[in-house]
Amino acid sequence: MRIGIIGSGALGLYYGAMLQRSGQDLHFLLRRDYQAIQENGLHVFSCHGDFYLPQVASYLTPQEIGPVDLVIVGLKTISNHHLIELVRPLLGDNTAILTLQNGLGNEELLATAFGPERVLGGVAFLCSNRGEPGTVHHLGEGKILLGEFRGGSSQRSHNLAEMFQTAGVPCTAVSDLRRARWEKLVWNIPFNGLSALLEKDVTEILNHPPSKELVKKLMLEVIAGANAQKLETQIDALKFSQQLISFSEKMDHYRPSMMIDRIEGRALELEAIYAIPLQQAKTANVSMPLIEMLFTLLDCGEN
Amino acid sequence: MRIGIIGSGALGLYYGAMLQRSGQDLHFLLRRDYQAIQENGLHVFSCHGDFYLPQVASYLTPQEIGPVDLVIVGLKTISNHHLIELVRPLLGDNTAILTLQNGLGNEELLATAFGPERVLGGVAFLCSNRGEPGTVHHLGEGKILLGEFRGGSSQRSHNLAEMFQTAGVPCTAVSDLRRARWEKLVWNIPFNGLSALLEKDVTEILNHPPSKELVKKLMLEVIAGANAQKLETQIDALKFSQQLISFSEKMDHYRPSMMIDRIEGRALELEAIYAIPLQQAKTANVSMPLIEMLFTLLDCGEN
């Protein structure tokens, strides 16, 4: 399959490299890493085994890539004002678009511009970061849940899941993408925000009992917001929040992406992870006062 | 009047110097500034006119001071575990104790140790800081509201107010000390905490509309907590919060003490300004969820 990657950060480079290694025809839109990858290829340092791709199809503009069968979007949501113009040149009559970006609102943006029938979304549970230009580091996890923006099962979503599995990426097609997105927010909203605000990692936060209690309260607010979104099945608040906290307690000083963004002075993905979820909850008459306060504090720190 | 000052920081030094200049017999327990003041006296740089006290009675232990008529406490509340042992040597049969410390719980501590009849409290609206050893800077304001810990009017409280007035310190005796303390918390709880957490001054906070809205919500929570404390008259929530915000909007990039403490790596006065008010509100069946979150975030940053 001819696949274009828009947003070749740690996530786009890692999944793209995995797919290319499995025999797919990959085309990467690059910026920071263009020259290094053109000249020396792409090195993947992975907890599942390192590998090297000497030849990588690299481009500086999406026009050079041209139509593909599948666009995978890994762009940071803070650059979503460029998303449409970056994706448009890659579309043929039957091109599908799969966004693996954080938070909410990404599928909606693509669906409004290109029609909802083209759009799929995926929730990626991946720990990766970029190293020197031309390298990407895969630290752990990597599973993807993907589904149709319009909801329901489709042959296409099952085919894509199979393609990822063949490439060594655990992947499941889900019929309720909205639920998968909100489930990830139950983790992202407390841990990304608190870690960025306090510049403390997951372990440091959970080792402070009042903060652990605050994490729980924030999770319960997210789940209340989620359960008002017409999900196929409701999220069990107590069970799911307890599961996520137990899971997080096993992490060894993990630094969420938003914490790293704050420390390195980059803009935070506040729109996708806070503003849009707050708006969707409000529309469903659910108030999330503690999350609103967290969003305000993060946003105040952005200026 | 023979007066001992326990806690000769910016507040203790400034009010003590004003009282000594007006003819009172002052005795300062000193630590950082002992040698400089012993050798060279105390320089006061004040927006109301500088002055200099060449002779200042300075001591390194409270035992050397011995009994006085009035103890004025200016100690940071983070050192309250030393408060009783520092005050005890200064007490004679009729010694009064006036604490001008921040937050709640200070009068209770003194009353439990020495009897409630000895104890008065004052709320100081003072902008001051210390300079080089032997100097104190008075930047603005300075008013004191003081009253009996047991409540009600007393000749003693009116005499003390008159003593401060004679010394050039605006001072009023109030019959409801508890209300005065909570009124100050309506400002301190939002602005001290947010400025320390975000490392933003009052102007920067108010220039960010969602944060200004958060300040209002925090103020309304404090006022709800205050109004459950058997005050003589209730605080008018909308009017008082609006007044305080208008007053704060006229400040020019003022940095609350807690912000300076955080930046300079000193412990924050979280017990007196957050923990005890939260506890008193809870006892009165008032929940303050946003303040609790703010306290948690500040406390997490302390480790």
Side-chain angles (χ1 to χ4, degrees):
Chain A
M1 194 183 313
R2 191 167 204 264
I3 301 173
I5 304 275
I6 298 295
S8 304
L11 177 142
L13 284 176
Y14 174 68
Y15 287 127
M18 292 292 278
L19 291 169
Q20 177 171 334
R21 186 179 63 161
S22 75
Q24 304 293 344
D25 176 22
L26 265 287
H27 301 266
F28 294 83
L29 182 70
L30 294 171
R31 206 169 41 182
R32 196 200 72 165
D33 290 20
Y34 178 77
Q35 194 163 359
I37 289 181
Q38 270 286 72
E39 291 173 6
N40 303 311
L42 175 59
H43 290 266
V44 179
F45 299 102
S46 170
C47 52
H48 297 158
D50 303 343
F51 63 96
Y52 171 57
L53 304 175
Q55 297 291 332
V56 171
S58 310
Y59 307 84
L60 283 170
T61 68
Q63 286 75 13
E64 297 166 68
I65 300 179
V68 296
D69 303 306
L70 173 68
V71 180
I72 296 178
V73 180
L75 202 68
K76 280 244 176 189
T77 56
I78 53 166
S79 299
N80 268 358
H81 50 291
H82 294 306
L83 181 58
I84 302 309
E85 61 187 271
L86 290 174
V87 167
R88 192 185 305 276
L90 276 65
L91 300 186
D93 288 346
N94 297 307
T95 305
I97 309 169
L98 170 67
T99 168
L100 298 177
Q101 297 169 283
N102 272 329
L104 302 185
N106 308 303
E107 290 91 4
E108 287 79 351
L109 194 62
L110 293 163
T112 303
F114 305 124
E117 69 286 355
R118 285 193 188 267
V119 179
L120 300 104
V123 180
F125 299 87
L126 175 69
C127 301
S128 65
N129 56 46
R130 288 201 283 183
E132 289 298 291
T135 68
V136 64
H137 295 262
H138 171 222
L139 308 173
E141 310 290 326
K143 188 178 74 169
I144 295 173
L145 301 182
L146 60 78
E148 295 283 339
F149 170 60
R150 293 186 294 185
S153 272
S154 73
Q155 191 55 51
R156 176 169 71 170
S157 63
H158 287 285
N159 292 346
L160 287 179
E162 205 179 305
M163 176 188 76
F164 277 109
Q165 287 162 18
T166 303
V169 175
C171 185
T172 308
V174 296
S175 59
D176 191 352
L177 173 64
R178 191 186 285 116
R179 189 182 204 270
R181 284 247 173 254
W182 276 90
E183 279 186 347
K184 190 170 178 198
L185 287 172
V186 181
W187 195 90
N188 272 343
I189 283 180
F191 282 111
N192 265 291
L194 294 176
S195 68
L197 185 66
L198 300 170
E199 298 190 3
K200 302 261 181 203
D201 63 42
V202 167
T203 305
E204 289 168 332
I205 290 169
L206 291 175
N207 281 346
H208 181 244
S211 294
K212 181 173 165 179
E213 199 54 41
L214 176 58
V215 165
K216 275 187 213 170
K217 287 181 191 164
L218 290 165
M219 285 183 169
L220 294 180
E221 280 194 3
V222 189
I223 296 171
N227 283 337
Q229 304 297 322
K230 300 182 187 141
L231 309 182
E232 286 178 9
T233 59
Q234 297 276 292
I235 300 172
D236 180 331
L238 291 180
K239 189 174 154 195
F240 189 60
S241 58
Q242 194 44 59
Q243 271 175 7
L244 284 192
I245 286 177
S246 302
F247 168 74
S248 307
E249 284 178 328
K250 293 188 197 92
M251 292 180 170
D252 184 18
H253 290 285
Y254 179 67
R255 294 150 58 103
S257 63
M258 196 173 277
M259 175 184 178
I260 296 173
D261 286 340
R262 171 63 54 100
I263 288 173
E264 299 191 352
R266 288 192 295 266
L268 308 187
E269 297 192 282
L270 297 182
E271 188 75 10
I273 297 181
Y274 294 94
I276 298 177
L278 278 163
Q279 190 53 54
Q280 291 192 6
K282 192 176 174 187
T283 302
N285 282 318
V286 174
S287 85
M288 310 198 291
L290 301 184
I291 296 171
E292 201 171 311
M293 175 161 160
L294 181 57
F295 173 44
T296 295
L297 296 171
L298 290 163
D299 191 54
C300 191
E302 284 295 90
N303 305 307
Chain B
M1 194 183 310
R2 190 166 205 266
I3 301 172
I5 303 276
I6 298 294
S8 304
L11 177 141
L13 285 175
Y14 174 69
Y15 286 127
M18 292 293 279
L19 291 168
Q20 177 169 333
R21 187 179 63 161
S22 75
Q24 305 292 345
D25 177 21
L26 266 285
H27 302 265
F28 294 83
L29 181 70
L30 294 171
R31 207 170 39 182
R32 196 201 70 165
D33 290 20
Y34 177 76
Q35 192 162 358
I37 289 180
Q38 269 288 69
E39 290 173 7
N40 303 309
L42 175 59
H43 291 266
V44 179
F45 298 101
S46 169
C47 52
H48 297 157
D50 303 344
F51 63 96
Y52 171 57
L53 303 176
Q55 297 292 333
V56 171
S58 310
Y59 306 84
L60 283 171
T61 68
Q63 285 76 12
E64 297 166 67
I65 300 179
V68 295
D69 302 308
L70 173 68
V71 180
I72 297 178
V73 181
L75 202 69
K76 280 245 177 188
T77 56
I78 52 166
S79 299
N80 268 359
H81 50 293
H82 295 306
L83 181 57
I84 301 310
E85 60 186 272
L86 290 174
V87 168
R88 193 185 305 276
L90 277 65
L91 299 187
D93 287 347
N94 298 306
T95 304
I97 310 169
L98 170 65
T99 168
L100 300 177
Q101 297 169 281
N102 272 329
L104 302 185
N106 308 303
E107 290 91 6
E108 286 80 352
L109 195 59
L110 292 163
T112 302
F114 305 122
E117 69 285 356
R118 285 193 188 269
V119 180
L120 300 104
V123 180
F125 299 87
L126 175 68
C127 300
S128 66
N129 55 47
R130 288 200 283 183
E132 288 299 292
T135 68
V136 63
H137 295 262
H138 171 222
L139 308 173
E141 309 291 328
K143 189 177 74 168
I144 294 173
L145 301 181
L146 60 79
E148 294 283 342
F149 169 58
R150 291 186 296 184
S153 273
S154 74
Q155 191 56 49
R156 176 169 69 169
S157 64
H158 285 286
N159 292 347
L160 288 179
E162 205 179 305
M163 176 188 76
F164 277 109
Q165 286 162 19
T166 303
V169 174
C171 185
T172 306
V174 297
S175 60
D176 192 352
L177 174 64
R178 192 185 285 116
R179 189 183 205 269
R181 285 246 173 254
W182 275 90
E183 280 185 348
K184 190 168 178 200
L185 287 173
V186 181
W187 195 90
N188 271 344
I189 283 180
F191 282 112
N192 266 291
L194 294 177
S195 69
L197 185 67
L198 300 170
E199 296 189 6
K200 302 261 180 201
D201 63 41
V202 168
T203 305
E204 288 169 330
I205 291 168
L206 291 174
N207 281 346
H208 180 244
S211 294
K212 182 173 166 180
E213 199 55 41
L214 176 59
V215 166
K216 277 188 211 169
K217 286 181 193 165
L218 291 165
M219 285 182 168
L220 294 179
E221 281 194 1
V222 189
I223 297 171
N227 283 337
Q229 303 298 320
K230 300 185 187 137
L231 308 183
E232 286 179 10
T233 59
Q234 297 276 292
I235 300 172
D236 181 332
L238 290 178
K239 191 175 153 195
F240 188 60
S241 59
Q242 193 45 59
Q243 271 175 5
L244 283 192
I245 287 177
S246 301
F247 168 74
S248 308
E249 284 178 327
K250 294 187 195 93
M251 292 180 170
D252 185 19
H253 291 284
Y254 179 67
R255 293 150 58 103
S257 63
M258 196 172 279
M259 176 184 176
I260 296 173
D261 286 340
R262 172 62 53 100
I263 288 172
E264 298 191 353
R266 288 192 296 265
L268 308 187
E269 297 193 281
L270 297 182
E271 188 74 10
I273 298 182
Y274 293 93
I276 298 177
L278 277 163
Q279 190 52 54
Q280 291 192 6
K282 192 176 174 187
T283 302
N285 282 318
V286 174
S287 85
M288 311 199 290
L290 301 184
I291 296 171
E292 200 173 313
M293 174 161 160
L294 180 56
F295 172 44
T296 296
L297 296 172
L298 290 163
D299 190 54
C300 190
E302 285 295 269
N303 305 308

